Amino acid sequence: MNTKTTTLTAFCIIIINSLLLTAQAPYGSAGEHTAVPLGDSEAPFGYYEYLPLDFDTSSGETYPLVISYHGSSSSGNGTWELDYVLSAGLPKLISNGSDLEAIIISPQSTDANFSATDFLSLYNYIIDSYNINTDRVYVTGLSSGGSSTWNALKEHYDKIAAAIPICGYNLVNDPSVFLQQTPIWTFHNFDDSVIDVSRTISNVNRISDTDSSVMTLYPYENGDDAANEDYTMQFDSSTQTWSIGEGRNEPLDNLAFTLYKDGGHNSWTKTYDNQAVLDWLFSQSINTLSISEKTLDFKLYPNPTSGSVTISTKNETEKKIEVYSISGKKVYESSFFRELTVDLSAYSSGVYFAKVVANDSIEKSMKIIIN
């Protein structure tokens, strides 16, 4: 071994690490996927950072955020094993050349089990370090990462604009009716032998909290075998009922469960490869009803509120707003055109959700927090 070369290499590593320790996020440039090893930042985990093509620190713009959790096979020490997170999910999609419209942070842990506390500590680091639109924070994960997504939803749903848990094992509390207000599109393969589909079924049943299981609508073959096609079950929070449709269909309200007919444990590749899934995710926001310019653009303010909230839009068509308590009970309803102020001072503090219907075809939901 050439000791001079070894010494020079070690010296270069020390210099590079010293520079990284003095650097601050963001670490890469627009369109880049950059490894940020544990210890090179103040983050509680090593992570990969992706910055969208339009990213510009000098613009003053804020950007949507996706926290992407890996599965057990991508676990590692956050340093020299950090590349393991590139093997699946959104990090793999980005590594294969896809460009996404959000900052993507993909942390790594040694056991692929990110708790609700882990979510909050990483969330706080990201918010402090990047220009984030806090109305557009999304969480997703596969396998153990799906479990981590459910963990985040259980305790910090108020910070999450939408979530995509894929074949996760962990369960939410029974019941978890409050999660009806958070857009959630969950996926599982019928024949998953690693994490049984019953785990996702239990979670959506605990969120809907009705007298019958989501699977009462499912068209089993030969008694209890998978159907011949993929199906999506949709939950309507206003009627508290499930419906079903063939295919992979985005949520009509907030909660949807797509059950693939087969595929073993890997239900994530076909999910993330589906552009419609990502389009749905990025259209969600906590305090606006739609990000897409193709639909009505609404604003709700102030939110949180201690009294009244105002909902406004530039569109002049007649619309209806309905406000529901966390238990799903309708507490307010009114029609409006461009702007409406709703007096909520008589209602107890907590989380409510509002649904706006326009032209009998556009229906969106958002959270209202009363202090």
Side-chain angles (χ1 to χ4, degrees):
M1 178 183 292
N2 189 324
T3 56
K4 290 183 178 180
T5 301
T6 302
T7 302
L8 179 61
T9 301
F11 176 75
C12 289
I13 291 174
I14 292 171
I15 293 298
I16 291 171
N17 285 340
S18 297
L19 291 173
L20 283 172
L21 284 170
T22 60
Q24 293 181 337
Y27 292 89
S29 301
E32 292 183 348
H33 203 196
T34 306
V36 184
L38 180 64
D40 288 352
S41 76
E42 295 182 358
F45 304 97
Y47 64 93
Y48 261 86
E49 165 205 270
Y50 171 79
L51 303 177
L53 292 175
D54 63 349
F55 184 82
D56 182 358
T57 55
S58 64
S59 68
E61 293 292 321
T62 58
Y63 299 87
L65 165 70
V66 179
I67 297 177
S68 176
Y69 290 126
H70 62 77
S72 58
S73 63
S74 298
S75 299
N77 57 21
T79 54
W80 59 270
E81 295 177 328
L82 188 54
D83 283 356
Y84 295 174
V85 303
L86 303 178
S87 64
L90 290 183
K92 182 177 181 179
L93 199 67
I94 295 167
S95 295
N96 287 342
S98 293
D99 294 314
L100 302 178
E101 61 181 82
I103 294 174
I104 314 294
I105 300 296
S106 305
Q108 185 183 55
S109 75
T110 56
D111 60 1
N113 182 22
F114 296 88
S115 67
T117 300
D118 291 334
F119 165 81
L120 185 60
S121 61
L122 180 61
Y123 172 91
N124 288 335
Y125 161 77
I126 297 170
I127 298 304
D128 288 343
S129 305
Y130 295 84
N131 294 334
I132 299 298
N133 181 346
T134 54
D135 284 342
R136 299 183 65 195
V137 174
Y138 312 112
V139 183
T140 186
L142 59 97
S143 190
S144 294
S147 295
S148 299
T149 303
W150 290 118
N151 288 344
L153 284 166
K154 285 170 65 174
E155 295 189 27
H156 301 295
Y157 63 93
D158 57 321
K159 294 177 173 58
I160 299 171
I164 300 177
I166 305 174
C167 60
Y169 180 84
N170 288 2
L171 297 175
V172 296
N173 297 330
D174 188 11
S176 288
V177 178
F178 64 91
L179 287 177
Q180 289 182 20
Q181 68 193 294
T182 302
I184 300 171
W185 193 357
T186 186
F187 298 81
H188 218 120
N189 286 336
F190 189 95
D191 62 347
D192 191 334
S193 60
V194 177
I195 298 177
D196 194 82
V197 68
S198 62
R199 307 299 288 189
T200 295
I201 293 170
S202 292
N203 275 337
V204 297
N205 281 338
R206 291 179 176 198
I207 295 170
S208 61
D209 192 34
T210 62
D211 293 334
S212 59
S213 170
V214 61
M215 296 303 288
T216 57
L217 299 176
Y218 185 74
Y220 290 98
E221 288 288 325
N222 303 318
D224 57 1
D225 293 336
N228 292 326
E229 302 294 338
D230 301 330
Y231 280 88
T232 298
M233 282 69 80
Q234 307 265 4
F235 186 71
D236 186 324
S237 60
S238 62
T239 62
Q240 297 289 291
T241 58
W242 285 99
S243 61
I244 189 170
E246 185 177 317
R248 309 167 186 183
N249 308 311
E250 69 178 61
L252 297 174
D253 192 345
N254 278 340
L255 177 62
F257 168 33
T258 293
L259 181 54
Y260 299 119
K261 62 179 180 178
D262 55 25
H265 187 43
N266 184 353
S267 51
W268 52 86
T269 298
K270 53 195 169 188
T271 298
Y272 292 130
D273 284 348
N274 185 351
Q275 185 61 43
V277 173
L278 298 179
D279 289 344
W280 170 83
L281 182 70
F282 294 132
S283 72
Q284 307 304 311
S285 177
I286 290 178
N287 286 333
T288 57
L289 295 181
S290 178
I291 300 303
S292 171
E293 294 180 356
K294 297 179 180 179
T295 61
L296 299 180
D297 180 27
F298 292 92
K299 293 184 178 179
L300 180 79
Y301 57 92
N303 193 14
T305 180
S306 56
S308 299
V309 293
T310 298
I311 183 169
S312 65
T313 177
K314 296 179 180 180
N315 186 284
E316 296 185 353
T317 59
E318 185 176 10
K319 295 160 284 291
K320 181 173 69 173
I321 182 171
E322 300 172 348
V323 179
Y324 294 84
S325 69
I326 202 168
S327 65
K329 180 182 178 181
K330 186 190 293 185
V331 298
Y332 180 87
E333 179 179 339
S334 181
S335 297
F336 71 105
F337 289 88
R338 292 193 60 176
E339 185 173 289
L340 177 70
T341 297
V342 181
D343 184 4
L344 300 174
S345 58
Y347 301 112
S348 58
S349 61
V351 178
Y352 295 75
F353 58 99
K355 181 161 62 177
V356 173
V357 179
N359 299 326
D360 295 325
S361 61
I362 299 175
E363 186 174 316
K364 295 293 181 180
S365 296
M366 59 185 170
K367 301 173 188 175
I368 300 175
I369 300 174
I370 302 178
N371 291 328

